[in-house]
Amino acid sequence: MDFYELVKQRQSTRAFDTERMVDREIIARILEAGRLSPSACNAQPWHFIVVDEPDLKNKVADATSARLLGMNHFTKQAPVHIIVVEEKVNFSSGIGGLVKDKHFAFLDIGIATAHICLAAESEGLGSCILGWFKESKVKELLNIPKNKRVVLDIIIGYAAQPLREKRRKSSEEVISFNTYQ
């Protein structure tokens, strides 16, 4: 599949085939795409924790859902959770972030996450990026130091839902050339 078809096909998966596990070899390839992604001043401010042990994965999934609000009720279906922990940026990225008032680590983690999700799609897997979770509970479950920040949970598995038509703003609404319109 060419890159543009891959981008068109990738969607946030919210229903997973609970009978199909994902081989660690595939997860390793997907994570390699994230590891190789670009970052400001090559800081690479991320650590990825793969959670695929069923009982632990279900406890992490519980920390991502808010049943009363209807948030993330599908997360136990996914066989793999990739927890993204923010690591310190290097000196150059840190100084650049201060000077330019940008949190480069979050930008870099976003880029790595996009690479991971596109790699998952290329492997025939669905993914969903979660920012809603009980961070303190995830830290406790995975022995993440209190001074670290858990930024995202990327869930991965074989999709059990059809491809949806994407609803996006028109090109005219989001793209302009040489001036803001």
Side-chain angles (χ1 to χ4, degrees), residues 91-104:
F91 181 77
S92 300
S93 181
I95 293 296
L98 285 173
V99 170
K100 293 300 180 182
D101 191 27
K102 304 236 188 258
H103 190 72
F104 287 122

Side-chain angles (χ1 to χ4, degrees), residues 39-47 85-98 102-109 148:
S39 60
C41 303
N42 200 29
Q44 304 170 57
W46 49 66
H47 183 90
V85 179
E86 178 185 3
E87 296 294 331
K88 287 185 178 182
V89 296
N90 59 23
F91 181 77
S92 300
S93 181
I95 293 296
L98 285 173
K102 304 236 188 258
H103 190 72
F104 287 122
F106 281 2
L107 300 171
D108 297 339
I109 285 169
K148 298 288 183 185

Side-chain angles (χ1 to χ4, degrees), residues 139-150:
K139 284 180 176 182
E140 177 188 322
L141 288 167
L142 303 178
N143 302 307
I144 299 168
K146 289 186 187 299
N147 67 335
K148 298 288 183 185
R149 184 91 198 266
V150 178

Side-chain angles (χ1 to χ4, degrees), residues 93-156:
S93 181
I95 293 296
L98 285 173
V99 170
K100 293 300 180 182
D101 191 27
K102 304 236 188 258
H103 190 72
F104 287 122
F106 281 2
L107 300 171
D108 297 339
I109 285 169
I111 294 165
T113 297
H115 277 63
I116 288 168
C117 291
L118 289 170
E121 187 68 37
S122 76
E123 294 279 356
L125 296 165
S127 63
C128 190
I129 304 163
L130 308 173
W132 179 285
F133 48 83
K134 295 177 192 105
E135 185 176 4
S136 60
K137 186 64 176 173
V138 172
K139 284 180 176 182
E140 177 188 322
L141 288 167
L142 303 178
N143 302 307
I144 299 168
K146 289 186 187 299
N147 67 335
K148 298 288 183 185
R149 184 91 198 266
V150 178
V151 181
L152 296 170
D153 178 1
I154 309 165
I155 60 173
I156 293 179

